[in-house]
Amino acid sequence: MKYGIYYFSGTGNTERVVKLLAEELKKYGSAELYKINDGREIYPVCDKAIFAYPVHGFNVPANVLRFAENFPSYAEKGFYIVKTSGEPLRLNDASSEKLVKILRKKGYVYKGEYHYVMPYNMIFRHTDEMASKMWATAKERIPACAEAIAEGKNVVKKIPFRAKLASAVCKIERKGLRFNGRFYKVDKDKCVNCLQCVRNCPVRNISFDGKDFRFGKECIGCTCCAFNCPTDAIKSGILNFMKVNGKYDFDRDPSEAEVGRYCRNSYIRYFGEKG
């Protein structure tokens, strides 16, 4: 059995999850990781497919949908979804519907999804202790996920109406992010011309002519550029007030994490703790 994990990861959270999942799946066969960038990549179809992505506004990122549209048709082959988000709200439950619809039309059989909470790369910055707690929780649960995928278990769940409504309303975010992306700017007083933003943009939306940086019309809001900028030189347009910059330290003591007031009950339920 060969497992193919087709994933997109803007700032590394989803990649962290699927790398561990791949290691666990190797207990049951071979596992390959195939990274999605602009969604025009062509990869082989494996015996069992897992599609992974970070939730963007209760939906699938546009480049992942493009990848699915280009994915080869294959009748009766099962697939799973793995997704990450910064909060464990049930409003995220409908995020995969469009992706599932595309793949079903191509003949694939949807077997369900797994949702892991990882720290925000936009909205606000979680503490490193909280990030470590999220990662520790994912590490505890991924082995069972791999076993269920290997056994072909059906883990499809009923999606609440409020989640479908949130997903439908927030689809406008895709156009909004492309619009906002054109207002990204680089603070030349901070910039050291490392060009990491240009090289690492998954949709190749950033260019540099030797003097000025230019941001095009294809931004998907993954925040790879602003989050990973070593000098915090990138301003994220009109959403700059929600910008998060700098990698999290996942080696902190997760027992020291404190669940704050924001989505408190949802986090407590996710972690399996008592309120």
Side-chain angles (χ1 to χ4, degrees):
M1 177 68 69
K2 183 175 181 179
Y3 302 92
I5 304 178
Y6 309 89
Y7 76 98
F8 168 61
S9 184
T11 57
N13 286 332
T14 305
E15 185 171 61
R16 179 179 285 266
V17 167
V18 296
K19 281 185 174 180
L20 181 54
L21 176 60
E23 289 303 312
E24 290 295 327
L25 285 172
K26 288 177 182 177
K27 297 176 182 178
Y28 309 99
S30 62
E32 294 291 336
L33 290 165
Y34 302 102
K35 189 170 185 178
I36 300 169
N37 287 305
D38 66 2
R40 294 180 175 86
E41 299 82 7
I42 302 297
Y43 293 128
V45 180
C46 297
D47 298 316
K48 194 170 290 185
I50 300 102
F51 295 84
Y53 69 90
V55 177
H56 284 187
F58 305 126
N59 283 286
V60 180
N63 57 334
V64 177
L65 293 179
R66 183 186 298 126
F67 178 81
E69 293 280 8
N70 294 328
F71 203 64
S73 298
Y74 208 112
E76 301 302 316
K77 191 179 287 291
F79 74 96
Y80 290 85
I81 291 173
V82 171
K83 65 186 183 184
T84 62
S85 72
E87 73 289 297
L89 294 174
R90 291 294 307 277
L91 291 179
N92 288 300
D93 287 4
S95 64
S96 300
E97 283 201 311
K98 179 65 174 178
L99 177 59
V100 171
K101 184 177 181 180
I102 291 171
L103 293 170
R104 277 178 168 166
K105 283 185 176 180
K106 290 177 173 287
Y108 295 89
V109 179
Y110 179 49
K111 305 289 287 184
E113 71 175 21
Y114 293 88
H115 180 193
Y116 297 98
V117 177
M118 294 293 281
Y120 277 137
N121 55 16
M122 197 172 185
I123 300 181
F124 69 86
R125 187 179 186 88
H126 286 104
T127 65
D128 286 336
E129 290 75 17
M130 189 68 163
S132 296
K133 188 176 184 69
M134 293 173 180
W135 177 228
T137 303
K139 287 192 292 184
E140 289 175 1
R141 298 176 183 177
I142 286 173
C145 166
E147 182 179 11
I149 291 174
E151 293 177 357
K153 288 184 177 180
N154 190 321
V155 292
V156 177
K157 299 178 181 178
K158 185 177 180 179
I159 300 173
F161 173 76
R162 65 182 182 277
K164 293 184 178 183
L165 180 61
S167 177
V169 171
C170 290
K171 279 184 171 66
I172 194 174
E173 183 192 63
R174 293 195 188 115
K175 292 183 178 180
L177 289 172
R178 289 199 297 270
F179 175 77
N180 181 65
R182 304 196 69 182
F183 294 94
Y184 275 44
K185 293 182 179 179
V186 174
D187 186 336
K188 293 183 178 180
D189 291 332
K190 293 183 177 180
C191 180
V192 293
N193 287 342
C194 67
L195 301 185
Q196 286 189 47
C197 56
V198 177
R199 290 193 299 268
N200 297 329
C201 177
V203 293
R204 293 171 288 189
N205 191 56
I206 309 171
S207 61
F208 181 64
D209 63 7
K211 181 180 178 181
D212 296 313
F213 289 88
R214 289 185 172 82
F215 296 85
K217 302 178 182 179
E218 301 300 321
C219 181
I220 57 173
C222 71
T223 75
C224 179
C225 58
F227 182 85
N228 291 308
C229 180
T231 58
D232 193 17
I234 296 177
K235 296 181 179 179
S236 306
I238 60 177
L239 299 179
N240 196 61
F241 69 99
M242 294 194 295
K243 183 180 69 173
V244 174
N245 172 258
K247 296 183 182 300
Y248 288 94
D249 181 359
F250 289 98
D251 293 325
R252 298 291 183 91
D253 185 351
S255 67
E256 295 183 359
E258 295 184 6
V259 179
R261 301 174 70 178
Y262 175 78
C263 297
R264 179 177 176 81
N265 291 334
S266 294
Y267 282 113
I268 288 173
R269 283 194 297 270
Y270 177 76
F271 293 132
E273 298 176 343
K274 295 181 179 179

